[in-house]
Amino acid sequence: MLLDVMKYSFINAKIRAMKSRLIKDPIYQQLLETTHLDAFVKVLMETEYSPEISGVDVKTPDISDVISALDEHLIKCYRTILQFFKIKTENDFIRVILSRLEIENLKIIIRGKFKGITSIMISDNLIPVDGVSNLNFEELVNSRDVEHFVSMLVKTRYERVLKDALPVFERDRRTAVLERPLDALYFIDLIRSIKTLSAVDGDIMKSYIGTFCDINNIMLILRSRLYFDLPSDDIMSMYIPYGYRLSKNEAIQLSKTTEDDFREVLAKNHYGRRVTNIKSLTDLEMGLLNILTYQTKKILMGYPFHIGTVAGFLALKEIETGNLKSIAEGKRHALPEGQIRESMLI
């Protein structure tokens, strides 16, 4: 226990300071009550987002500039944590967690190349990952097509999984064929990294990452089944077997559901019993993400000298950024406050 205190005392002090600056309910309410995007930007200027948001035209803000500013602030927080968290094993684990941003950018490029979107438009949609990724996204964005893009990832950890999936993609022409192996690789790397942590840290992260994987599987299975009517075998080939409370048998049952009975089938597993009043898959996804949000807040309570304090704060910061994006998009489209709140995790 003393070693844990010594290991985490400095980073805990830094996180306590950063956590105190998270957006509080009164500011959220103020942002929700703004009438247009320009008013939203003015309120945000009075928060710690000011350095990034100051580059946005306050009078006629463009939503893409607002989103970019929010992303820049998030990445700055990630870089700060990596800078002050000096212990190699734990720092490496946090870097694996953050590699999801790198993977999201790879997916954005895959979709863009498949749809024939220009390189400039693809670049505009990328998440800024300076300091948390070593990939040259400028070169990757300028690849000729999906096949050329995959060939440019030679000697990276993504090379093998994408090359293995490429023949199926060329046959089926579905980007999910390439995207899902990236998700699987992410969880495989996380599970491997958890094994390098102390017993206490490992137990905390197993349940958290396992829940994240379960939610990922549930949404992939139901979207594939209800939106694209894929057969169970095809869906289960994309199943990631590193979950926590969703058994493979329960996943198989979900992969055979219909629009009429998926709620009944879902209600038989751990997650379905905790999410009620499901009118759509969007409702389900928000309910599942609220479970993860609750778990995030839970690991930040009590004894603070463990890896969960760091991972939990990073997750809360990402949730905050997502909430601000939801409000910004809502103001852009003049949505009512209640509708915007439904898309937020608080």
Side-chain angles (χ1 to χ4, degrees), residues 124-186:
D124 288 343
N125 285 291
L126 293 182
I127 304 165
V129 288
D130 294 342
V132 298
S133 171
N134 293 320
L135 293 181
N136 188 331
F137 281 103
E138 184 177 350
E139 285 187 0
L140 292 170
V141 163
N142 287 311
S143 56
R144 294 188 302 274
D145 50 32
V146 173
E147 289 79 4
H148 184 219
F149 164 79
V150 171
S151 72
M152 293 177 72
L153 288 167
V154 65
K155 295 184 179 179
T156 71
R157 67 192 185 107
Y158 306 109
E159 177 185 13
R160 184 177 61 80
V161 295
L162 289 177
K163 280 191 174 180
D164 288 348
L166 196 55
V168 182
F169 166 77
E170 291 172 340
R171 184 192 70 209
D172 294 352
R173 306 305 291 176
R174 288 188 295 114
T175 58
V177 171
L178 294 174
E179 292 179 34
R180 198 56 180 170
L182 293 175
D183 291 334
L185 179 64
Y186 176 68

Side-chain angles (χ1 to χ4, degrees), residues 32-298:
L32 284 163
E33 289 174 356
T34 57
T35 52
H36 298 93
L37 189 57
D38 58 340
F40 168 87
V41 170
K42 288 176 183 176
V43 172
L44 211 56
M45 284 284 290
E46 302 303 316
T47 70
E48 72 158 347
Y49 286 82
S50 178
E52 293 77 27
I53 212 76
S54 62
V56 176
D57 185 340
V58 178
K59 292 183 179 179
T60 56
D62 185 278
I63 187 63
S64 62
D65 292 337
V66 174
I67 298 300
S68 293
L70 294 174
D71 282 336
E72 287 285 357
H73 178 83
L74 180 64
I75 293 299
K76 183 176 76 173
C77 287
Y78 289 164
R79 286 197 296 262
T80 299
I81 294 297
L82 291 173
Q83 177 186 349
F84 285 95
F85 200 16
K86 300 290 188 181
I87 307 154
K88 186 178 187 312
T89 298
E90 287 74 11
N91 185 288
D92 288 347
F93 177 73
I94 296 300
R95 286 185 181 277
V96 174
I97 291 179
L98 298 183
S99 70
R100 185 170 58 82
L101 302 176
E102 183 176 83
I103 287 174
E104 286 304 313
N105 277 348
L106 295 178
K107 291 180 184 178
I108 290 169
I109 298 173
I110 288 171
R111 294 169 198 152
K113 292 301 172 183
F114 179 67
K115 294 177 181 178
I117 297 173
T118 66
S119 297
I120 292 175
M121 290 182 67
I122 295 174
S123 293
D124 288 343
N125 285 291
L126 293 182
I127 304 165
V129 288
D130 294 342
V132 298
S133 171
N134 293 320
L135 293 181
N136 188 331
F137 281 103
E138 184 177 350
E139 285 187 0
L140 292 170
V141 163
N142 287 311
S143 56
R144 294 188 302 274
D145 50 32
V146 173
E147 289 79 4
H148 184 219
F149 164 79
V150 171
S151 72
M152 293 177 72
L153 288 167
V154 65
K155 295 184 179 179
T156 71
R157 67 192 185 107
Y158 306 109
E159 177 185 13
R160 184 177 61 80
V161 295
L162 289 177
K163 280 191 174 180
D164 288 348
L166 196 55
V168 182
F169 166 77
E170 291 172 340
R171 184 192 70 209
D172 294 352
R173 306 305 291 176
R174 288 188 295 114
T175 58
V177 171
L178 294 174
E179 292 179 34
R180 198 56 180 170
L182 293 175
D183 291 334
L185 179 64
Y186 176 68
F187 285 107
I188 289 169
D189 286 347
L190 275 176
I191 297 302
R192 286 175 179 163
S193 294
I194 286 173
K195 293 177 181 178
T196 69
L197 301 175
S198 69
V200 172
D201 284 351
D203 286 343
I204 290 169
M205 295 315 301
K206 276 178 191 174
S207 62
Y208 181 76
I209 297 301
T211 300
F212 184 27
C213 185
D214 284 345
I215 291 172
N216 189 287
N217 274 326
I218 289 171
M219 293 312 302
L220 180 279
I221 290 168
L222 289 177
R223 285 196 188 103
S224 299
R225 184 63 179 164
L226 302 183
Y227 290 169
F228 302 105
D229 196 28
L230 293 182
S232 176
D233 288 347
D234 286 3
I235 295 172
M236 290 308 296
S237 70
M238 296 185 284
Y239 168 77
I240 301 171
Y242 297 102
Y244 181 52
R245 293 194 173 183
L246 180 75
S247 69
K248 186 172 183 179
N249 184 58
E250 289 170 336
I252 291 172
Q253 294 305 310
L254 283 175
S255 73
K256 297 177 179 178
T257 57
T258 66
E259 183 68 41
D260 294 329
D261 70 358
F262 84 88
R263 297 170 186 82
E264 180 182 342
V265 174
L266 185 68
K268 296 176 182 177
N269 69 46
H270 169 79
Y271 298 96
R273 288 190 290 270
R274 295 181 65 184
V275 181
T276 57
N277 299 321
I278 303 170
K279 296 177 182 177
S280 66
L281 287 190
T282 301
D283 292 335
L284 172 61
E285 184 170 27
M286 290 304 297
L288 293 173
L289 290 175
N290 273 309
I291 291 174
L292 193 62
T293 301
Y294 171 78
Q295 193 169 344
T296 299
K297 292 177 179 179
K298 188 176 179 181

